[in-house]
Amino acid sequence: MPDLLLELFSEEIPARMQAKAADDLRRMVTDKLVAEGLVYEGAKAFVTPRRLALTVHGIPARQSDLKTERKGPKIGAADAAVQGFLKATGLNSLDEAKIQRDPKGDFYIALIEKPGRPTLDVLAEILPVIVRTFPWPKSMRWGERSAKSGALTWVRPLHSIIATFGPETEEPEIVKFSIDGIEAGQTTFGHRFLAPSAIPVRRFGDYEAKLKAAKVVIDPQARKDIILADAKQLAFAQGFELVEDQVLLDEVSGLVEWPVVLMGSFDEEFLSIPGEVIRATIRNNQKCFVVSDPKTGKLTNKFILTANIEASDGGKAIIAGNERVIRARLSDAKFFYETDLKTKLEDRLPKFENIVFHEKLGTQAARIQRIERLAAEIASLVGADVEKTKRAAHLAKADLLTEVVGEFPELQGLMGKYYALAQGEDASVAAASEEHYKPQGPADRVPTDPVSVAVALADKLDTLVGFWAIDEKPTGSKDPYALRRAALGVIRLIVENGVRTNLMPVANKHILSFVSAQGLKDWNGQQVDQKCIDLLSFFADRLKVQLRDQGARHDLVDAVFALGGQDDLLMVVRRVEALGKFLDTDDGKNLLAGTKRASNILAIEEKKDKRSFDGAPDRTLYRLDEEKALATAIDQVKSEAGAAVAKEDFAAAMSAMAKLRPAVDAFFDKVKVNDDEPKTRENRLKLLNEIRAATRAVADFSKIEG
């Protein structure tokens, strides 16, 4: 079946827009084809700095013919209705219509045949629309056409269009359309410098081959593979290792059509700067990779660049040019770093008095004071030294006012660690400067040093409490202050470090402190409590999301949360884990079945009687051994499970629960719950309620599916 080749050739497309543009082109074209009844076999998009291309193979040569029936008026209907039917269906007379028998009367039916159009005509219709409506994040008009009303806008000036369609065994046809004076054809161009001449192409096979001969690699993944392999080999040849950087690799591959990897160097004196500063300088300014020495793990004075040309001198001039720029940039970075070292971190703090954190939350200085107080309170909960924690919280934000962080904001925290160590701070205090921002995402590591944990929790809790207090909560998909990320950070810090704490009193006390500091005199205790409840509900929702993402069953999460006490996040997680393991056993599955049966019977009978069956059963009314055995088992389980839960040994609590199974099974096998004698019935329903109450020591089994 025929294939489509489409290329939109332009000036340089920004690297950050290329991947989405390729996806958008594939989606828009294939969606239009399917909407026109043209089902294809496969499609793949390609992008380079100067071209956006698409191949779609296995497209039918024409649309299928459509046959439809249209119901008309009844036989004997008014002439106006008949004439309207004939006009709408294109029939010349009623003789061309069929008659459909119906109990309500006989109707005229028109058989309408709509012949399918050639795919070439359909493409000529849909492709210009796609080009004109292409969703570039930013676009521009240019040249003489820019003055025209409705002129084409494109990311950069569009120069030519290839659009060919046809089967592999025949010469393809050009899809004839024009956009702003640009006629679709079958001519492309090679590398801007290495092979700029026009290249006639027919279909994708020779298009790809001819462009490669003209020094253009159209597949972005192939360019990435070339850059990565050559860079690794170049570093390895000199006994070094490439410091891999996927984000930079994605960007660099979007800057070149014919990647040529080269190695340059810089003065060794710059290695006195922290490696992260060197990397940020070279990466941000010259889009180059850095190289490390595998023996030391530290950076060497080498860098790797990706050129877009095979230079006649082997790249010497290109390397020299990059070396000059990098030398100047590293010189600036070295100056910034050495200048920063001359001022102690604490001496920078007064400037925060004049920097607003948020108009309703005060200055950065006020926020630092709040974090310091809260971190000191949390320190004892996580086993951190209080004085070290206070010192760490006091200095943690100071590097925001340094020269290096001003130049490279992504190094905030890390530079604070370096400066703290340089001025002789304790290692834990210094580490907290970097680690209190962590974790910043699901893949980021969680701090384990107690001082870092305390400051990180204080930082995130202050953010959450503050924005909750001023009613700036996430809504829908909007979360401008990254409060969901902060909540997940708190959860991971607590769970992964095994921190036992109830968040309610911590949040309550911090909100009271915040209210007092902000002078919010109209607040009362009830408002504070409600804010805390709302915030803890938010934590519960985030914890549910995380547990589900980790594979925990949503019903088990709901079963544990139904018990309340969500402010002890670690205990919730341990309960869910223990419950999941228990329900994987035969005892767990059978006990669940029995418990749910008891709950279902109770629900029916409570609805019927319009009352609950709370309260202890009357032991004197037990008439069968199975009743007595179940009552005894419940008493034993309550005692053992309660003691295990008190020790937070949820596995032992589940083992105790398993002892209920045989008694529950025997009860349902031998005992008629809805006995004819009212008192016996009521007593047995109360006994069922005891089963439900006993299992609630670990979870609400009624929430569990199955």
Side-chain angles (χ1 to χ4, degrees):
M1 292 207 306
D3 298 343
L4 167 69
L5 170 63
L6 176 66
E7 182 199 68
L8 302 164
F9 183 79
S10 68
E11 293 296 327
E12 272 71 7
I13 304 168
R16 67 183 183 280
M17 300 182 186
Q18 292 175 16
K20 184 177 184 300
D23 286 342
D24 285 340
L25 182 64
R26 179 190 53 76
R27 173 184 53 80
M28 293 174 77
V29 172
T30 55
D31 284 356
K32 286 282 189 182
L33 288 172
V34 172
E36 293 290 341
L38 296 168
V39 180
Y40 61 96
E41 292 179 1
K44 188 171 183 180
F46 303 89
V47 64
T48 79
R50 294 205 299 159
R51 70 200 77 224
L52 192 55
L54 174 72
T55 176
V56 185
H57 63 273
I59 309 173
R62 63 181 300 113
Q63 295 172 315
S64 299
D65 296 338
L66 294 177
K67 294 182 179 181
T68 59
E69 290 187 353
R70 179 162 178 170
K71 190 175 183 179
K74 286 183 179 181
I75 293 176
D79 185 63
V82 171
Q83 293 303 317
F85 171 64
L86 293 175
K87 183 178 180 180
T89 57
L91 300 181
N92 295 316
S93 70
L94 290 177
D95 294 338
E96 297 177 2
K98 290 198 316 180
I99 296 175
Q100 178 176 298
R101 305 297 178 184
D102 190 280
K104 296 182 180 179
D106 297 339
F107 292 84
Y108 290 110
I109 298 292
L111 293 176
I112 303 173
E113 295 189 10
K114 182 182 178 182
R117 293 190 298 160
T119 301
L120 200 67
D121 294 343
V122 176
L123 289 170
E125 183 179 286
I126 67 175
L127 292 181
V129 174
I130 290 170
V131 174
R132 290 187 180 279
T133 59
F134 200 81
W136 292 109
K138 291 184 178 180
S139 55
M140 59 184 291
R141 292 186 174 91
W142 62 91
E144 295 180 1
R145 295 190 297 276
S146 64
K148 294 181 181 179
S149 175
L152 173 69
T153 59
W154 199 249
V155 63
R156 295 290 185 271
L158 186 63
H159 292 314
S160 68
I161 300 172
I162 290 176
T164 67
F165 178 73
E168 184 71 28
T169 57
E170 300 175 13
E171 186 69 20
E173 295 184 70
I174 295 173
V175 183
K176 295 189 178 298
F177 64 90
S178 174
I179 299 178
D180 253 21
I182 303 173
E183 297 279 348
Q186 56 186 116
T187 302
T188 188
F189 300 87
H191 192 282
R192 183 188 290 276
F193 306 112
L194 300 176
S197 301
I199 304 170
V201 297
R202 294 162 36 244
R203 53 180 54 84
F204 180 72
D206 71 317
Y207 169 79
E208 183 178 31
K210 287 181 177 180
L211 278 179
K212 188 171 184 180
K215 307 298 185 182
V216 175
V217 179
I218 62 167
D219 188 342
Q221 186 57 53
R223 296 197 301 275
K224 292 178 192 178
D225 293 342
I226 291 169
I227 294 168
L228 185 59
D230 289 356
K232 284 184 174 181
Q233 183 58 39
L234 201 56
F236 179 76
Q238 297 199 30
F240 303 134
E241 286 183 349
L242 175 73
V243 178
E244 295 188 37
D245 187 329
Q246 185 60 51
V247 175
L248 180 59
L249 180 61
D250 292 342
E251 182 177 8
V252 170
S253 69
L255 298 174
V256 297
E257 289 194 318
W258 189 253
V260 177
V261 178
L262 304 167
M263 178 179 280
S265 62
F266 54 85
D267 295 340
E268 288 190 2
E269 66 174 286
F270 293 123
L271 294 176
S272 62
I273 310 172
E276 293 85 355
V277 178
I278 295 173
R279 182 179 181 183
T281 301
I282 292 176
R283 181 187 196 275
N284 294 7
N285 292 297
Q286 290 304 106
K287 312 302 179 189
C288 294
F289 298 88
V290 292
V291 175
S292 67
D293 185 341
K295 297 176 183 177
T296 64
K298 296 181 179 180
L299 295 187
T300 69
N301 63 325
K302 304 288 184 182
F303 65 90
I304 290 178
L305 65 98
T306 308
N308 190 34
I309 188 173
E310 290 178 345
S312 58
D313 65 353
K316 291 180 181 179
I318 296 173
I319 293 171
N322 278 270
E323 287 178 343
R324 283 195 300 272
V325 175
I326 285 175
R327 185 181 304 114
R329 296 294 188 181
L330 287 176
S331 181
D332 290 343
K334 187 171 185 289
F335 173 77
F336 292 151
Y337 177 64
E338 291 176 348
T339 299
D340 286 340
L341 288 173
K342 295 176 183 178
T343 304
K344 287 193 171 184
L345 290 171
E346 57 264 45
D347 293 341
R348 301 179 185 277
L349 296 178
K351 292 184 179 180
F352 282 121
E353 295 284 356
N354 302 315
I355 299 175
V356 175
F357 170 64
H358 185 281
E359 61 179 349
K360 294 181 181 179
L361 297 175
T363 64
Q364 279 279 17
R367 181 165 189 262
I368 291 170
Q369 291 173 1
R370 294 197 303 270
I371 293 172
E372 193 173 340
R373 288 196 300 270
L374 183 55
E377 294 174 12
I378 293 174
S380 59
L381 300 175
V382 300
D385 181 277
V386 175
E387 292 306 315
K388 289 181 181 179
T389 301
K390 290 170 65 177
R391 179 66 175 170
H394 187 64
L395 300 178
K397 303 291 185 184
D399 72 331
L400 294 175
L401 297 178
T402 61
E403 298 288 342
V404 170
V405 174
E407 184 73 12
F408 305 112
E410 67 271 24
L411 298 182
Q412 66 181 19
L414 176 66
M415 296 312 300
K417 180 183 75 172
Y418 282 124
Y419 296 141
L421 290 172
Q423 70 183 40
E425 299 291 342
D426 181 85
S428 292
V429 172
S433 292
E434 176 187 10
E435 294 185 332
H436 81 282
Y437 290 108
K438 297 181 177 296
Q440 294 188 338
D444 197 12
R445 69 178 179 85
V446 174
T448 56
D449 182 279
V451 172
S452 293
V453 172
V455 181
L457 284 171
D459 179 48
K460 292 167 179 58
L461 285 171
D462 178 76
T463 298
L464 288 159
V465 166
F467 284 108
W468 237 253
I470 62 173
D471 285 323
E472 290 282 359
K473 306 169 188 176
T475 56
S477 61
K478 295 182 179 179
D479 187 10
Y481 304 110
L483 301 183
R484 292 188 180 96
R485 187 176 71 184
L488 284 172
V490 170
I491 290 168
R492 289 189 63 198
L493 283 162
I494 288 175
V495 173
E496 295 184 31
N497 283 290
V499 176
R500 287 302 318 279
T501 182
N502 293 94
L503 287 176
M504 185 74 171
V506 175
N508 191 286
K509 186 173 182 180
H510 197 58
I511 287 181
L512 287 171
S513 175
F514 173 82
V515 168
S516 175
Q518 295 297 108
L520 302 175
K521 297 179 181 179
D522 57 335
W523 279 52
N524 56 45
Q526 186 176 359
Q527 286 176 291
V528 171
D529 288 344
Q530 189 57 52
K531 292 289 182 183
C532 287
I533 292 170
D534 289 346
L535 180 55
L536 291 174
S537 177
F538 181 68
F539 273 115
D541 289 341
R542 293 300 94 203
L543 180 56
K544 285 183 182 180
V545 170
Q546 175 158 318
L547 288 173
R548 289 168 186 166
D549 288 346
Q550 292 174 350
R553 285 168 44 182
H554 70 89
D555 55 332
L556 304 192
V557 176
D558 291 339
V560 171
F561 270 96
L563 300 181
Q566 296 97 318
D567 62 334
D568 190 338
L569 303 181
L570 183 61
M571 188 171 71
V572 170
V573 172
R574 288 178 176 172
R575 280 180 185 263
V576 171
E577 291 174 349
L579 183 58
K581 292 177 181 177
F582 177 57
L583 292 177
D584 283 339
T585 67
D586 288 339
D587 281 342
K589 292 172 185 175
N590 289 320
L591 179 61
L592 173 63
T595 303
K596 290 183 76 68
R597 183 176 177 183
S599 295
N600 291 337
I601 293 172
L602 279 167
I604 293 170
E605 300 307 315
E606 286 174 344
K607 184 177 181 180
K608 184 190 300 182
D609 289 17
K610 297 181 180 179
R611 53 167 291 198
S612 64
F613 291 95
D614 297 332
D618 185 346
R619 292 180 176 272
T620 63
L621 295 178
Y622 294 151
R623 298 189 307 186
L624 301 175
D625 291 342
E626 287 77 13
E627 291 177 279
K628 298 173 184 177
L630 178 58
T632 301
I634 289 173
D635 289 342
Q636 181 182 357
V637 166
K638 276 185 176 180
S639 176
E640 292 182 11
V645 169
K647 297 176 183 177
E648 297 177 11
D649 186 349
F650 299 111
M654 298 297 172
S655 296
M657 298 287 295
K659 296 177 182 179
L660 271 179
R661 176 196 163 184
V664 170
D665 290 347
F667 179 85
F668 282 120
D669 187 44
K670 299 292 185 181
V671 179
K672 178 183 177 183
V673 176
N674 285 314
D675 193 83
D676 296 334
E677 206 286 309
K679 288 187 177 180
T680 301
R681 170 182 174 272
E682 179 181 352
N683 205 55
R684 287 174 178 173
L685 288 171
K686 285 184 176 181
L687 187 56
L688 290 189
N689 188 62
E690 290 286 285
I691 298 174
R692 186 168 61 180
T695 56
R696 284 181 67 86
V698 290
D700 184 347
F701 275 49
S702 67
K703 302 288 185 182
I704 302 173
E705 298 176 359

